[in-house]
Amino acid sequence: MVALGAVSWILGIISGLGLLFFLFYRFVFLRDPERRIPPGDVVVSPADGKVIRIIEVNANTIRIKKGWLGNILLSPPFKGTYYLISVFMSPLDAHINRAPLDGKVESIKHTKGAFFNAGSLEKSFSNENNQIVFHTAIGNVLVVQIAGFLARRIACWVKMNQKVNKG
């Protein structure tokens, strides 16, 4: 009788933790809050989070300090020099991405991969990712979504040739 009571407590705790995880995932992780998009010629961040690195890159650059970057920069979609801006989204950030500028979806490329910690830029380039190129008034802009240890799935809601608004 006592053992049955202990099992009931353990199952109750596990069920409660599962419910809390589901509620966190649904109402914190996947929320889509309204944003005020600034007018004019400004680029908005495609993601909530913290900018962890800005790197100048060109078509010949395929290494960062500790090794190969993987698929993202081995065959860059742009010629010349450009910038890689890495935004880390913590579990408390809204995990929805937005278009940084008005434009049209020029290409979408999904690549399967690992699920390393997304906070490690070098390791995260081995992760599953989705690359979207937007054709905009200032040229092509690449947004790369990278799955991580917790966010292990990428849902892409834009389609080829779809027009998008900034934000």
Side-chain angles (χ1 to χ4, degrees):
M1 193 88 153
V2 173
L4 187 58
V7 170
S8 295
W9 270 99
I10 291 171
L11 289 176
I13 290 171
I14 290 171
S15 297
L17 289 174
L19 178 63
L20 286 175
F21 177 77
F22 170 77
L23 292 173
F24 172 81
Y25 184 75
R26 173 64 183 95
F27 294 107
V28 176
F29 202 71
L30 294 181
R31 69 189 184 281
D32 185 7
E34 290 293 321
R35 297 285 186 248
R36 278 188 285 144
I37 307 304
D41 295 334
V42 297
V43 178
V44 298
S45 176
D48 288 2
K50 178 181 179 184
V51 173
I52 59 173
R53 198 167 294 170
I54 299 175
I55 305 165
E56 187 175 291
V57 181
N58 64 48
N60 299 321
T61 304
I62 56 173
R63 285 186 181 261
I64 268 185
K65 292 182 190 175
K66 295 185 179 179
W68 297 97
L69 288 177
N71 295 333
I72 293 172
L73 295 179
L74 286 178
S75 56
F78 309 123
K79 304 242 186 284
T81 300
Y82 53 97
Y83 292 93
L84 171 75
I85 303 171
S86 178
V87 180
F88 174 73
M89 298 185 321
S90 81
L92 299 177
D93 290 316
H95 277 65
I96 187 138
N97 294 151
R98 303 168 190 277
L101 292 162
D102 293 335
K104 184 176 89 170
V105 177
E106 189 165 285
S107 71
I108 302 170
K109 178 183 173 192
H110 182 266
T111 305
K112 292 186 184 261
F115 299 102
F116 293 115
N117 177 3
S120 167
L121 183 63
E122 288 81 12
K123 281 190 171 184
S124 72
F125 283 111
S126 300
N127 288 0
E128 178 175 329
N129 67 78
N130 195 49
Q131 302 175 37
I132 304 169
V133 176
F134 295 99
H135 181 70
T136 72
I138 66 167
N140 287 343
V141 174
L142 172 66
V143 172
V144 181
Q145 302 162 302
I146 301 176
F149 180 72
L150 289 176
R152 300 172 71 94
R153 181 172 59 102
I154 299 171
C156 183
W157 297 331
V158 295
K159 307 282 185 237
M160 286 289 299
N161 298 315
Q162 178 180 341
K163 291 187 186 225
V164 295
N165 295 323
K166 174 175 56 175

